[in-house]
């Protein structure tokens, strides 16, 4: 297993549970299905006041079992 990171740019004021749900959907869309402990780490501003950058970490199995 290893820890990985994902960053998403979403509307400013997005609720943490919404951010985590969108991150989980993004991981699944990328074909990453064997992950756990998805956790929001930081929320930063961008050059656009309507958009924030959210960084999350998650654990992934390096050798998924079928």
């Amino acid at each position: 297993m290893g820890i990985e990171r994902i960053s998403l740019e979403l509307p400013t004021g997005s609720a943490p549970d919404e951010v985590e749900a969108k991150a989980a959907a993004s991981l699944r869309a990328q074909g990453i299905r064997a992950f756990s402990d998805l956790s929001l780490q930081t929320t930063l501003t961008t050059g656009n006041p309507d958009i924030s950058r959210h960084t999350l970490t998650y654990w992934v199995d390096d050798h998924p079992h079928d």
Side-chain angles (χ1 to χ4, degrees):
M1 289 184 73
I3 194 165
E4 298 288 338
R5 157 175 77 196
I6 184 172
S7 292
L8 300 174
E9 291 188 356
L10 299 170
T12 299
S14 296
D17 58 339
E18 179 184 358
V19 173
E20 289 182 3
K22 289 186 184 257
S26 179
L27 290 171
R28 288 185 193 103
Q30 294 174 47
I32 301 169
R33 303 206 183 281
F35 65 88
S36 62
D37 299 321
L38 183 63
S39 177
L40 179 60
Q41 299 298 315
T42 61
T43 300
L44 302 172
T45 59
T46 64
N48 182 337
D50 297 326
I51 302 293
S52 293
R53 178 173 295 117
H54 306 275
T55 301
L56 303 92
T57 57
Y58 60 96
W59 284 95
V60 64
D61 187 344
D62 292 334
H63 305 286
H65 304 285
D66 294 322

